[in-house]
Amino acid sequence: MNASESSSTVSLPRVAPRLSAAFQGVVRLAWAQQFTTRSMVSVALMIGVVGLMGFLTKDRGIINWIEQVILMTIVPILAFEAGAKAVREDLKPGAVDYLITRPVPRWAYVVFKYVAQWSITLIHTLLTLGVMIGVAQGVGAEVSGVGSWLVGLVGGVSAFMALGFLMGAVTSRYLILGLLYAGLIEGAVGNIPIQINKLSILRHLREVIWGLGETSLGVSAGWLALIAMVLVAGAAALFSTKEFIGEKGGES
């Protein structure tokens, strides 16, 4: 065997992906897609409408509006929808072609995308909460428990976005799964006085915001973080097993 033949049989060393560079790229791309003039106008209008409705409730009513409507309803829905859409966007043919040609592990890509979308949604919801606190102070309402609100906001965005990521990775009909989850886990299991109710995200949110039960704020926040990590891990594992080659625009 001559030198040329032997050299042709030698495999070149595999280039390890630079995860830090991939993370920065995913975050920049997500921010460029989300922070456009059109999206910022939409966010501003949404915050303005929510702020106006809160203002009309007056005094103590605005505190209930912040806790029950913003933190317990709007934030979970927005976070879930944002997470599920982020995953489904990556399963479209054009995005798939780009994804499978990059030397980044799929699990890492899912984690990076989650962090990027989480930061975007957190900014939007923090702005909303800030406007609502300003309105509450403007109408003379007694504002207390802001620390609990912030913990609940971060925990709610983290957990419900992770839920959206998982269900978005399962099917394009993630809204149906979301409704099933809401009815079975949040509506039924979460209200049963047994240990399995720890699966309910809203239960932990209630404990953070209102201090219900014997669970401390730190423990409830820890449960929200644990749920978010488990759900993201499940989404990453499921995303890694998907067969992208041969999909022509169809969605599972």
Side-chain angles (χ1 to χ4, degrees):
M1 181 182 294
N2 55 40
S4 61
E5 291 176 337
S6 62
S7 62
S8 63
T9 60
V10 177
S11 59
L12 296 175
R14 184 176 181 179
V15 178
R18 293 179 55 196
L19 295 183
S20 61
F23 173 72
Q24 294 174 14
V26 171
V27 171
R28 283 198 299 265
L29 181 60
W31 279 51
Q33 292 174 337
Q34 296 286 333
F35 287 105
T36 62
T37 301
R38 181 177 180 181
S39 66
M40 294 307 295
V41 169
S42 299
V43 171
L45 289 174
M46 181 196 72
I47 294 175
V49 170
V50 171
L52 176 61
M53 295 180 70
F55 173 78
L56 295 176
T57 62
K58 299 292 184 180
D59 302 332
R60 181 60 191 175
I62 194 172
I63 303 301
N64 293 329
W65 182 271
I66 292 173
E67 294 177 340
Q68 297 180 10
V69 178
I70 305 297
L71 297 177
M72 294 294 296
T73 304
I74 294 179
V75 166
I77 292 174
L78 286 180
F80 176 85
E81 181 75 6
K85 280 187 174 181
V87 172
R88 296 317 303 182
E89 285 294 323
D90 288 331
L91 294 177
K92 291 182 178 179
V96 165
D97 293 340
Y98 178 85
L99 178 59
I100 64 179
T101 59
R102 295 300 183 270
V104 179
R106 292 181 184 175
W107 67 264
Y109 179 81
V110 171
V111 173
F112 297 164
K113 190 64 177 286
Y114 171 81
V115 173
Q117 191 62 50
W118 175 85
S119 65
I120 294 168
T121 305
L122 190 62
I123 290 174
H124 291 166
T125 51
L126 282 174
L127 286 173
T128 303
L129 180 60
V131 169
M132 296 305 296
I133 292 174
V135 172
Q137 292 177 333
V139 298
E142 182 181 351
V143 178
S144 60
V146 175
S148 298
W149 293 350
L150 291 174
V151 174
L153 177 66
V154 174
V157 168
S158 302
F160 277 104
M161 178 164 290
L163 180 66
F165 260 68
L166 178 61
M167 294 190 176
V170 172
T171 178
S172 61
R173 298 174 178 85
Y174 54 83
L175 288 178
I176 297 176
L177 284 184
L179 291 174
L180 291 175
Y181 167 85
L184 179 62
I185 303 299
E186 300 297 348
V189 173
N191 294 314
I192 300 176
I194 55 177
Q195 289 300 316
I196 197 173
N197 63 20
K198 299 298 183 182
L199 296 175
S200 170
I201 300 175
L202 288 179
R203 181 180 182 84
H204 297 300
L205 274 182
R206 287 193 295 267
E207 292 176 348
V208 167
I209 296 170
W210 292 305
L212 303 178
E214 300 178 354
T215 305
S216 67
L217 185 146
V219 172
S220 298
W223 271 104
L224 290 173
L226 177 61
I227 291 172
M229 288 188 290
V230 171
L231 292 175
V232 171
L238 184 60
F239 194 84
S240 298
T241 62
K242 279 190 171 292
E243 180 57 61
F244 293 140
I245 298 177
E247 292 189 28
K248 298 181 179 180
E251 296 186 356
S252 59

